[in-house]
Amino acid sequence: MTTIRQRRGGKVTEAAEHQPSEEKNVKSDGKVLSDHTGGKLRNILSLTLGGIVAIGLGLLTSVYVATLHENDLWFSNIKEVEREISFRTECGLYYSYYKQMIQAASIQQGLHALVYDNKTESVRTINILERMNVYQEVFLSILYRILPIQQYLEPVYFYIYTLFGLQAVYVIALYVTSWLLSGTWLSGLLAACWYITNRIDTTRVEFTIPLRENWALPFFAVQIAAITYLLRTHLQPAQERLTLLAVFIATFLFSLTWQFNQFMMLIQALALFIPDCFDMLPTAKVTWLYIIQISGLLLVCVLQFFNSMILGSLLISFNASVLIARAIQKNLKKGNLLNRLGKLILHVLLVLSLTLLVNKFIKKSLNLESDEHIFKFLKAKFGFGATRDFDANLYLCEEAFGLLPLNTFSRLSDTLLFYIYIFSLFPMTAAALIVAFRNLRMKYLWTSHMCVFASFGLCSTEVWRLILKCVHLYTSQRTQVIKYSIPIITLLYISYKFWPGIMDELSELREFYDPDTVELMNWIKSNTPNTAVFAGSMQLLAGVKLCTGRTLTNHPHYEDKHLRERTKQIYQIYAKRSPEDVYRILRSFGTDYVILEDSICYERRHSRGCRLRDLLDIANGHIMDGLGENEPDLKPSLYPRFCEEIKKNLPSYTLHFTRVFQNKTFHVYKLAKHK
């Protein structure tokens, strides 16, 4: 069992009336020129200072998360196997391909091994570049090989420092977005400070470094900053073209680095579609954004060897349907209110109907079933009936997909972020509705970034003008005073309350400690052939591949129907099945060794009904263990639980399985090779 333990040993005056008119004009022109020059100089100074602050905060954030990672694990001092074990679950799987490319005899051989991989899933050759979003690992490994840095920097540090560096890009992009929305870099400063002080709820990069989201979200933030700039009025054509290029590059990189990009961009497309329907956004620019989303995703599809899951995404179907519906309804935004309202309702219905039809047609044509588990999960999640589907229940029982814990709101309230977010939300929503009915244009783009939106609301002239007018206290001077004083007071409050805690956090020294897993990995490397095939939990097997290079039966990348079915079969080692059934299943996947984990067999982390063994029992039609209700059609199993019974060394089990390794956490059994 992994623990993080305390580290041992560580811690102008006006012209006179009698002057000629020409002289007055000269002095007046000079004053205008002087004011114009002074204004330009102030703008340049503000841009320079704001840019320096943005870069400084970005770099500080990178150093901050890197220091937390080092302090938490003592990463510089632990063994290589411990460093690799610290990349938990799918993190280890992704990092293993970076390691594989680094260790390959040549770049060409490394790429060939990824395209024709037969070690990630036993008795099956798969294309890793098609199945998984690992181009970032490929690019980084090639960069490491060609740069003259091998003797100065270990591969693992080049990898993690790149991810920590992307955090700087993330913070700078949030800073710039807030600055663009509010018109003052003070807003960006506030957004960055909120991001840092709410680190627990904004990022988990310091302990899940290789996760796809840590690669993708910085590019998503850059894309939002570019879209925010694009939607400003009075852009020059050259500025618009450059901004569209920036949006495309950011969208492409975001899509390339994360398999769940399509779901986030679908929400973004819907967020653009709604205000666009009310004529609140420039139609030509929104059209370009739809096209960019489609083209970016299709380019990724090509690079991923025409990954069918991308072609069947709802995003492509929705964006294509919007463009088709626009071509059919050319005069959507003309006519009186009633006429436009009717057109709008028809437009929405047309888009939704086309989306479903196009998506159904694509999936039927390509025989796509890769994402069916997601829709089963969503159906159960939103209360449209319970499900016994193993894959859907596996998601439903994970904390990451559960409701937000109540302490999340208390944490966000401690930094005033939640209160100010709500404060900003109401007037902005009201203003948006008024604008929709009056047919005016929006001056900002709604963003899901809470820190950006709250800081914008606090530093926005429009927000304070609206509030002061509502209470009949509006003056231009009062608005400016409040616009700057309230954010500064908020920054002082955040600094006063959270600076000591950050300092304490940075001074706390601990170390990585997981001797049982280290012992297991060392035993595998020393006592099993390189061609050995291992079965076990998805999370553990990712570590087995990274640390030992052995072949796996299954792994945590769950976006493939064949793999999901295979994983459910492998997991029968924790169900109530006969030894003959389990042996037959494991051998069908070429298994030589199976690893059983007490933490799964006797799991207590989840409540009854969400333990892995419970999910298997329900899927198999068996009643669950322990006190509590069972559905009436569930029946008692004819056999005891395999992971418990095998430890008794009964003849029916020893005939097929021989224990070859054991410690407090793991039990490894070798499968007999019957003819």
Side-chain angles (χ1 to χ4, degrees):
M1 181 178 177
T2 305
T3 60
I4 302 296
R5 65 181 184 184
Q6 290 298 121
R7 188 183 304 174
R8 298 187 298 272
K11 224 170 167 158
V12 179
T13 57
E14 292 183 2
E17 292 181 3
H18 64 275
Q19 288 180 314
S21 60
E22 288 183 7
E23 189 178 345
K24 288 183 184 180
N25 290 337
V26 169
K27 290 193 175 182
S28 177
D29 290 345
K31 182 178 178 181
V32 170
L33 183 62
S34 176
D35 288 347
H36 178 71
T37 305
K40 285 188 69 175
L41 184 60
R42 282 194 298 271
N43 286 338
I44 292 170
L45 287 173
S46 178
L47 282 170
T48 303
L49 182 58
I52 292 171
V53 172
I55 294 169
L57 280 171
L59 293 174
L60 279 173
T61 304
S62 295
V63 173
Y64 176 50
V65 293
T67 304
L68 289 178
H69 176 256
E70 170 63 23
N71 289 357
D72 205 36
L73 302 178
W74 208 1
F75 201 74
S76 61
N77 194 68
I78 57 178
K79 300 174 182 177
E80 186 66 21
V81 64
E82 292 176 308
R83 291 177 180 175
E84 293 178 347
I85 291 170
S86 71
F87 296 136
R88 293 289 174 186
T89 63
E90 60 190 286
C91 297
L93 184 68
Y94 296 132
Y95 183 78
S96 72
Y97 300 117
Y98 171 77
K99 179 182 176 182
Q100 183 176 320
M101 283 291 296
I102 292 288
Q103 294 178 346
S106 67
I107 294 173
Q108 291 78 8
Q109 288 186 22
L111 289 171
H112 185 272
L114 290 180
V115 174
Y116 301 97
D117 180 277
N118 54 15
K119 295 182 73 68
T120 302
E121 295 177 17
S122 58
V123 301
R124 191 184 185 200
T125 299
I126 63 172
N127 184 341
I128 299 298
L129 295 180
E130 175 197 355
R131 283 275 299 276
M132 304 181 197
N133 297 69
V134 294
Y135 269 101
Q136 50 267 51
E137 276 76 21
V138 172
F139 172 77
L140 213 59
S141 63
I142 294 173
L143 201 60
Y144 182 81
R145 293 179 70 125
I146 63 177
L147 292 176
I149 58 173
Q150 288 88 346
Q151 57 182 333
Y152 309 109
L153 194 65
E154 296 176 58
V156 67
Y157 281 107
F158 185 64
Y159 187 91
I160 66 173
Y161 287 166
T162 300
L163 268 300
F164 294 146
L166 279 176
Q167 282 294 297
V169 176
Y170 197 177
V171 170
I172 292 171
L174 296 178
Y175 181 107
V176 170
T177 303
S178 188
W179 187 356
L180 288 169
L181 289 171
S182 65
T184 171
W185 58 262
L186 183 62
S187 174
L189 174 60
L190 193 54
C193 289
W194 266 326
Y195 179 88
I196 295 168
T197 53
N198 290 281
R199 176 185 54 80
I200 293 174
D201 299 298
T202 56
T203 183
R204 47 181 177 165
V205 67
E206 75 274 12
F207 60 90
T208 58
I209 299 172
L211 275 188
R212 305 299 83 181
E213 67 187 62
N214 297 328
W215 284 97
L217 291 181
F219 299 120
F220 188 59
V222 171
Q223 184 226 40
I224 288 176
I227 291 174
T228 305
Y229 184 76
L230 176 70
L231 294 179
R232 301 180 87 180
T233 56
H234 310 303
L235 283 185
Q236 297 296 322
Q239 291 175 314
E240 191 170 312
R241 285 193 294 268
L242 285 173
T243 308
L244 284 169
L245 178 62
V247 173
F248 173 77
I249 293 171
T251 302
F252 166 69
L253 291 174
F254 170 66
S255 303
L256 187 66
T257 52
W258 198 14
Q259 68 268 32
F260 295 132
N261 63 78
Q262 53 184 281
F263 302 107
M264 291 191 67
M265 287 203 295
L266 178 61
I267 295 171
Q268 187 181 73
L270 288 167
L272 289 168
F273 175 71
I274 295 168
D276 182 43
C277 286
F278 289 103
D279 200 18
M280 299 162 70
L281 293 173
T283 301
K285 292 181 180 180
V286 175
T287 302
W288 272 113
L289 292 176
Y290 288 136
I291 293 170
I292 284 173
Q293 284 190 335
I294 293 175
S295 57
L297 212 54
L298 289 177
L299 181 54
V300 172
C301 181
V302 172
L303 287 174
Q304 290 193 265
F305 297 80
F306 296 94
N307 186 312
S308 57
M309 188 176 175
I310 297 175
L311 293 173
S313 69
L314 274 173
L315 176 67
I316 289 180
S317 301
F318 176 78
N319 285 12
S321 299
V322 172
L323 297 175
I324 293 169
R326 276 190 175 169
I328 296 171
Q329 294 179 287
K330 295 184 181 295
N331 299 317
L332 180 65
K333 299 177 181 180
K334 293 182 179 180
N336 58 39
L337 179 62
L338 192 61
N339 191 291
R340 290 189 61 188
L341 189 60
K343 288 180 180 179
L344 178 60
I345 294 171
L346 181 62
H347 181 69
V348 172
L349 292 173
L350 180 60
V351 168
L352 294 177
S353 301
L354 276 173
T355 300
L356 294 175
L357 287 171
V358 170
N359 193 253
K360 191 76 173 177
F361 174 76
I362 293 172
K363 288 187 173 180
K364 197 74 174 176
S365 301
L366 300 176
N367 193 27
L368 291 179
E369 297 177 309
S370 297
D371 56 357
E372 63 177 2
H373 65 300
I374 297 174
F375 293 101
K376 288 178 182 177
F377 158 72
L378 291 174
K379 181 181 176 182
K381 182 68 177 175
F382 291 109
F384 296 107
T387 180
R388 289 187 180 179
D389 183 76
F390 175 77
D391 305 313
N393 282 327
L394 203 59
Y395 279 105
L396 285 167
C397 288
E398 282 299 317
E399 292 178 7
F401 296 98
L403 296 174
L404 276 177
L406 292 177
N407 63 2
T408 302
F409 300 103
S410 64
R411 282 198 307 271
L412 296 175
S413 300
D414 285 343
T415 61
L416 303 180
L417 175 60
F418 186 69
Y419 298 129
I420 294 170
Y421 173 73
I422 297 299
F423 162 81
S424 304
L425 183 64
F426 281 109
M428 288 298 98
T429 304
L433 291 173
I434 292 167
V435 167
F437 285 109
R438 290 186 179 179
N439 195 28
L440 298 175
R441 290 199 186 281
M442 290 180 70
K443 294 184 178 179
Y444 60 89
L445 175 66
W446 176 268
T447 172
S448 62
H449 294 274
M450 194 185 225
C451 297
V452 171
F453 189 72
S455 61
F456 152 65
L458 208 60
C459 299
S460 170
T461 302
E462 289 81 8
V463 171
W464 287 114
R465 183 189 294 131
L466 178 64
I467 293 170
L468 291 175
K469 281 183 176 180
C470 288
V471 295
H472 307 290
L473 292 173
Y474 170 73
T475 65
S476 178
Q477 294 82 359
R478 188 175 288 142
T479 302
Q480 292 301 312
V481 169
I482 294 175
K483 172 184 174 180
Y484 291 106
S485 60
I486 298 297
I488 291 171
I489 292 169
T490 305
L491 283 168
L492 291 173
Y493 167 79
I494 294 171
S495 301
Y496 171 77
K497 184 166 184 179
F498 291 95
W499 184 258
I502 290 173
M503 291 299 101
D504 289 342
E505 193 177 33
L506 289 172
S507 63
E508 187 176 4
L509 303 177
R510 298 185 287 181
E511 68 174 309
F512 179 85
Y513 186 71
D514 190 356
D516 290 351
T517 307
V518 170
E519 185 184 13
L520 172 66
M521 298 303 173
N522 287 333
W523 180 87
I524 292 173
K525 286 194 287 187
S526 302
N527 296 276
T528 65
N530 293 335
T531 56
V533 178
F534 279 80
S537 69
M538 297 183 290
Q539 296 81 359
L540 180 63
L541 289 185
V544 169
K545 185 183 187 305
L546 171 57
C547 297
T548 71
R550 301 304 188 262
T551 304
L552 313 180
T553 55
N554 55 311
H555 54 82
H557 195 270
Y558 217 50
E559 280 66 56
D560 179 76
K561 184 181 181 182
H562 177 89
L563 178 64
R564 292 196 297 272
E565 292 173 347
R566 176 187 281 225
T567 298
K568 182 181 175 182
Q569 290 298 306
I570 296 294
Y571 276 7
Q572 297 305 309
I573 59 178
Y574 296 110
K576 298 170 182 175
R577 299 290 292 268
S578 69
E580 292 79 15
D581 283 347
V582 174
Y583 176 81
R584 176 183 50 79
I585 291 168
L586 293 176
R587 284 304 297 164
S588 70
F589 299 118
T591 307
D592 298 310
Y593 298 88
V594 58
I595 308 173
L596 295 171
E597 301 170 61
D598 286 346
S599 58
I600 298 178
C601 190
Y602 308 107
E603 181 185 0
R604 293 183 177 88
R605 184 170 69 95
H606 289 104
S607 60
R608 185 177 184 270
C610 266
R611 300 169 298 190
L612 179 60
R613 62 181 187 265
D614 297 336
L615 303 184
L616 290 163
D617 289 343
I618 293 170
N620 292 340
H622 299 151
I623 61 172
M624 296 180 288
D625 294 338
L627 299 174
E629 295 183 358
N630 287 282
E631 293 186 29
D633 60 327
L634 296 178
K635 306 295 181 184
S637 174
L638 298 175
Y639 304 97
R641 195 166 303 282
F642 177 84
C643 63
E644 296 176 0
E645 200 71 7
I646 192 174
K647 296 170 186 175
K648 298 178 181 179
N649 291 323
L650 299 174
S652 57
Y653 288 83
T654 56
L655 177 65
H656 306 292
F657 304 93
T658 303
R659 187 162 58 198
V660 291
F661 174 84
Q662 176 185 2
N663 62 22
K664 292 182 294 183
T665 306
F666 305 105
H667 304 262
V668 181
Y669 292 86
K670 184 176 182 180
L671 276 69
K673 294 188 177 180
H674 304 310
K675 292 184 180 179

